[in-house]
Amino acid sequence: MGFKKYVIFSIILIIAVFGYVYSLELGDYNVTLLGYSLVLPVAAWVILPVSLLALVTYLHILFYSLLKYFKERAIKKDHETMISVIKSNLLEKTDVAKFKTKDFRNLSSILSQFKLSVNDSRFTSTDEELNKIVAYVQDIKDGKFVSDKSFKVNETTPLANLNMLNKVNEQIDFAVDVLKKPENFSSNVVRQSFENVLKEKTMTTVKKLYKNIKLDKDLATKLFEKDAANNEFGFTAEEILKIVKDLDYKKDDYLALAKNYESILQPDQIIALFEKLSAELDESTPAYLHVLCEYEMIEKVREIVSVTADTEFTAFKALLDLKEAGKHYDLEAISYK
């Protein structure tokens, strides 16, 4: 029975009892307490305790109804807050949430120790904003760039970083913009932008941008491969020298550099390049000798190695001795490291 019906029927009962007792014509009854007298019909004295009992039950029902209302309201609020916590977790935010109920506080404490992720299957819920967030996260994980401004992610989070990587992979012009101001972006975004520009833009564009980033050996190798494939607008010897000076190139690195250019550059170009490198960087001398051997400039090789210690460039010296003895070997068959 609802509270409203209970009140109506209890009042009807009180009126019925009052009417019945009053119809008996029992007269009045006087009550004296502490010098005060109160005269009421007997019917009124009969329904007085019934009315008081009804009033107490009304208050009792109202009290617990209010308790139930506030409890349900707290649970509803905590449910909304928990959805917000899940959204923040998916967006890799660290927002602090306050809960009114103990059960939700405990659940929040447990969830805060986990990293939520979405799977490939379609996600649905009654919360449209949560559905949108999950869909966007799935898109980012799938390599798509999410540009919706309502999708707000902390720029320092891995999710935001992945979204930025997706953007440079989708928009080559944005990758160019990244390389114009690399200090505004994370190192892996700058690196991916540079690799994309190497693949999709001309050497003319690359030459305008490569100085803006700090090259490592891997990026330098890719840069030199791009240069070798587009040598018409490629680097000068001075530019290559400046690049390798900033890197901790070893003998093997210079040899790889020589092999990269030897099939592209004209003999006089690559010889001039490595002659210049050898004059300034001792580690590049084996690569210079390699180039000279490739073009059968034996006397020049002999001239260089003749003024070195017996323990230096022994492989090249052995190659010269073999040639003098009339024995010819491919340079790759002899270790010159």
Side-chain angles (χ1 to χ4, degrees):
M1 180 185 293
F3 178 70
K4 192 175 189 180
K5 290 182 178 179
Y6 175 78
V7 171
I8 293 172
F9 284 118
S10 61
I11 291 174
I12 292 173
L13 176 63
I14 291 171
I15 293 173
V17 171
F18 177 81
Y20 173 73
V21 175
Y22 188 80
S23 68
L24 297 176
E25 297 182 356
L26 299 175
D28 298 332
Y29 185 77
N30 180 35
V31 174
T32 302
L33 183 64
L34 300 176
Y36 293 95
S37 296
L38 180 63
V39 179
L40 292 172
V42 172
W45 287 112
V46 170
I47 67 165
L48 182 61
V50 177
S51 300
L52 290 175
L53 178 61
L55 179 61
V56 170
T57 58
Y58 298 160
L59 295 175
H60 175 83
I61 293 172
L62 285 172
F63 175 74
Y64 281 98
S65 294
L66 283 173
L67 283 182
K68 182 181 179 182
Y69 167 76
F70 285 118
K71 184 177 180 180
E72 289 178 348
R73 186 170 180 270
I75 291 174
K76 182 180 179 181
K77 283 287 185 182
D78 281 357
H79 177 268
E80 293 172 355
T81 305
M82 181 56 66
I83 295 296
S84 297
V85 167
I86 293 173
K87 293 175 184 176
S88 296
N89 191 299
L90 289 171
L91 295 174
E92 299 177 355
K93 295 181 179 180
T94 55
D95 297 341
V96 177
K98 294 183 178 180
F99 293 91
K100 300 179 181 297
T101 60
K102 182 179 178 181
D103 290 340
F104 273 99
R105 280 196 296 270
N106 291 338
L107 180 58
S108 175
S109 177
I110 293 171
L111 285 178
S112 66
Q113 301 176 62
F114 290 90
K115 170 68 174 68
L116 298 179
S117 62
V118 297
N119 55 29
D120 296 333
S121 61
R122 182 175 176 80
F123 175 87
T124 56
S125 73
T126 56
D127 191 300
E128 288 302 320
E129 185 180 3
L130 179 58
N131 293 341
K132 183 186 290 187
I133 289 174
V134 171
Y136 283 155
V137 172
Q138 287 175 324
D139 286 344
I140 292 173
K141 300 286 186 182
D142 290 339
K144 300 176 183 176
F145 169 61
V146 175
S147 59
D148 191 340
K149 293 183 178 180
S150 66
F151 184 68
K152 297 179 180 179
V153 186
N154 191 321
E155 293 183 358
T156 60
T157 62
L159 185 65
N161 183 262
L162 181 57
N163 197 36
M164 191 62 64
L165 284 173
N166 294 342
K167 185 174 183 179
V168 300
N169 287 332
E170 287 184 6
Q171 304 175 19
I172 188 61
D173 289 336
F174 177 71
V176 171
D177 292 337
V178 169
L179 297 182
K180 289 179 180 178
K181 293 184 178 180
E183 66 278 4
N184 296 336
F185 301 91
S186 62
S187 59
N188 65 330
V189 171
V190 173
R191 186 182 188 89
Q192 188 62 49
S193 297
F194 186 64
E195 291 183 0
N196 291 351
V197 168
L198 285 177
K199 292 176 183 176
E200 300 186 37
K201 289 294 184 178
T202 64
M203 194 62 197
T204 303
T205 301
V206 172
K207 289 182 71 175
K208 293 177 182 178
L209 299 171
Y210 81 93
K211 294 180 181 179
N212 295 343
I213 69 171
K214 183 174 178 58
L215 296 171
D216 57 22
K217 288 184 181 181
D218 181 55
L219 288 180
T221 298
K222 293 176 180 179
L223 177 60
F224 291 139
E225 289 173 352
K226 174 78 172 181
D227 180 50
N230 302 268
N231 191 249
E232 185 179 352
F233 303 100
F235 291 127
T236 63
E238 289 75 15
E239 288 173 323
I240 294 175
L241 179 62
K242 188 176 187 310
I243 292 172
V244 297
K245 272 186 174 180
D246 294 333
L247 300 170
D248 187 25
Y249 261 31
K250 304 299 182 185
K251 293 178 182 179
D252 289 347
D253 300 314
Y254 286 110
L255 286 168
L257 183 64
K259 292 176 181 179
N260 179 63
Y261 280 106
E262 65 187 10
S263 62
I264 304 297
L265 297 179
Q266 295 296 321
D268 58 332
Q269 290 178 308
I270 191 169
I271 290 171
L273 169 62
F274 278 89
E275 183 178 13
K276 192 172 186 64
L277 287 173
S278 178
E280 298 194 33
L281 302 165
D282 291 340
E283 289 288 315
S284 67
T285 300
Y288 178 39
L289 293 172
H290 164 84
V291 171
L292 292 174
C293 289
E294 284 294 303
Y295 294 106
E296 295 294 326
M297 299 186 68
I298 303 304
E299 292 305 316
K300 185 66 175 178
V301 175
R302 192 186 310 278
E303 177 187 332
I304 294 171
V305 300
S306 64
V307 294
T308 61
D310 292 340
T311 56
E312 290 186 294
F313 309 119
T314 54
F316 288 100
K317 291 174 180 177
L319 181 64
L320 292 174
D321 292 341
L322 288 169
K323 285 185 179 293
E324 286 182 357
K327 297 179 180 180
H328 300 279
Y329 287 88
D330 184 84
L331 186 60
E332 295 295 331
I334 299 178
S335 174
Y336 45 80
K337 298 179 183 180

